[in-house]
Amino acid sequence: MRRVNENPAARRAIVAAGAAVLLASAAVLYATGHTVVPGSEDYRPGPVWRVWVPVVAAMVAIRLVPWHTPSGPVDERLRGKMRGRWPRLDLFVLVVCLLGFAAADPVLSSVLHMVSPVLTPLSYFLAKVFFLFLVPVMLVGAAGVLRYDTGPDLPRLSLWVSEAWRWGGLAAIAVYALVAVSPWAAQPPMAGTEVPDRFTAVLVITISLLSSPVLEEIFFRGMLQTRLEFVLGRWPGIVTASLAYAVFSLVGGGLPNGLTVALAMTVCVQGVAGVMYGYLWSRYRNMWLNVLLHSFITLLAPVPLSFWG
């Protein structure tokens, strides 16, 4: 029996299933009237379709710049590294880490609440750092326990970027930034409303940047998606990692409109953004680009432009 990444029909089925989940999620939101994205650490409030506009524009730019990518040597380095591992075992460990993250947040919240209610919000950050960074790095990272082969390490491949074409994603980030502040995308809060003082804002932004762009891109793209691509194929890996990113973004949040609406909303927002992040990572293998784009979106959400004036 052929592996999934060697079976075109299986790869197409996975991508089609992901598209069906997105369409079904959008249908649920429009059928129930929940079409406005609530404000969060990553997104400003606004209609769902306005979140999609800059994502689509960025993905077009990712495809166009450059038109031809001399990615053969980079892909071969990546395949060589994955061939020296057991990617399915790595995936099992990463899935267990995700489940541990989901389970640890409420437990830590209860424990910290008993110490002091002020400490309760730290539960999400602590669970995330431990299960989405420390444990994965210790087990499946370049120097982790499950490392059993030599070869080019993924961190070196993704951080030491010397090829000029692998910075082509800067054009996509610029396109996303321009479209995101245009009239066709969700708008920032009105000037003078709900603006935190500068010290509080800097603290919130620092924590947000560490817990969202850095940890999430390293885990979901650098670790999880890379192995899913090797096992399932490129686009099935992107789609599967994006759905996992969407579902586990619900950890630590409430469900004011019920689980069904929450799942539909996260698929339509975080899931769609995850496809963009995944495509960016798959095309350039440049973690700096992923962190930069994710950081821009995170920064754009809580701070109105007037804050910097």
Side-chain angles (χ1 to χ4, degrees):
M1 182 176 179
R2 290 189 297 176
R3 297 190 307 178
V4 174
N5 64 353
E6 299 172 348
N7 188 333
R11 295 200 304 268
R12 287 193 295 268
I14 294 173
V15 175
V21 170
L22 174 60
L23 291 174
S25 298
V28 167
L29 294 182
Y30 279 90
T32 58
H34 295 93
T35 58
V36 176
V37 179
S40 69
E41 66 175 7
D42 284 322
Y43 294 95
R44 296 168 294 171
V48 173
W49 68 268
R50 284 188 172 178
V51 174
W52 298 340
V53 174
V55 168
V56 172
M59 291 187 66
V60 171
I62 292 170
R63 175 60 187 88
L64 294 178
V65 183
W67 179 255
H68 295 291
T69 57
S71 58
V74 174
D75 291 341
E76 184 53 40
R77 286 174 63 190
L78 184 60
R79 285 193 295 269
K81 180 61 180 175
M82 289 296 103
R83 279 195 294 266
R85 304 188 65 94
W86 296 328
R88 288 177 175 79
L89 177 59
D90 288 353
L91 284 174
F92 174 78
V93 171
L94 294 175
V95 170
V96 171
C97 287
L98 281 172
L99 296 175
F101 166 54
D105 176 60
V107 173
L108 284 173
S109 179
S110 299
V111 172
L112 292 174
H113 183 78
M114 288 188 292
V115 177
S116 172
V118 178
L119 299 177
T120 303
L122 290 176
S123 63
Y124 175 78
F125 181 71
L126 292 175
K128 200 170 195 177
V129 169
F130 188 76
F131 284 102
L132 299 193
F133 183 72
L134 294 179
V135 174
V137 167
M138 288 189 295
L139 294 180
V140 303
V145 173
L146 298 183
R147 182 189 182 191
Y148 33 76
D149 199 285
T150 58
D153 292 332
L154 189 58
R156 183 175 179 83
L157 175 66
S158 63
L159 297 177
W160 293 84
V161 183
S162 57
E163 302 90 344
W165 67 267
R166 292 176 62 198
W167 291 98
L170 289 172
I173 296 173
V175 168
Y176 185 99
L178 290 173
V179 176
V181 298
S182 72
W184 298 283
Q187 295 301 294
M190 294 178 61
T193 63
E194 299 182 2
V195 182
D197 64 80
R198 280 170 168 74
F199 178 79
T200 303
V202 169
L203 181 60
V204 170
I205 289 170
T206 301
I207 294 175
S208 296
L209 290 178
L210 290 174
S211 65
S212 290
V214 177
L215 293 187
E216 291 176 3
E217 291 308 308
I218 290 174
F219 181 88
F220 285 100
R221 257 59 67 176
M223 294 185 179
L224 184 64
Q225 181 184 309
T226 300
R227 287 156 178 81
L228 284 170
E229 285 186 58
F230 187 80
V231 174
L232 303 179
R234 183 189 190 191
W235 277 103
I238 292 174
V239 169
T240 305
S242 299
L243 289 176
Y245 171 65
V247 171
F248 284 93
S249 69
L250 293 176
V251 175
L255 305 174
N257 299 309
L259 180 60
T260 300
V261 171
L263 284 171
M265 182 63 74
T266 194
V267 167
C268 288
V269 178
Q270 278 83 358
V272 170
V275 172
M276 174 182 65
Y277 295 138
Y279 188 32
L280 185 72
W281 168 246
S282 179
R283 190 155 168 82
Y284 303 108
R285 305 298 182 192
N286 184 341
M287 186 56 66
W288 298 110
L289 295 177
N290 278 76
V291 172
L292 181 61
L293 178 57
H294 200 147
S295 296
F296 173 79
I297 296 174
T298 300
L299 283 172
L300 196 62
V303 182
L305 299 180
S306 62
F307 170 77
W308 305 106

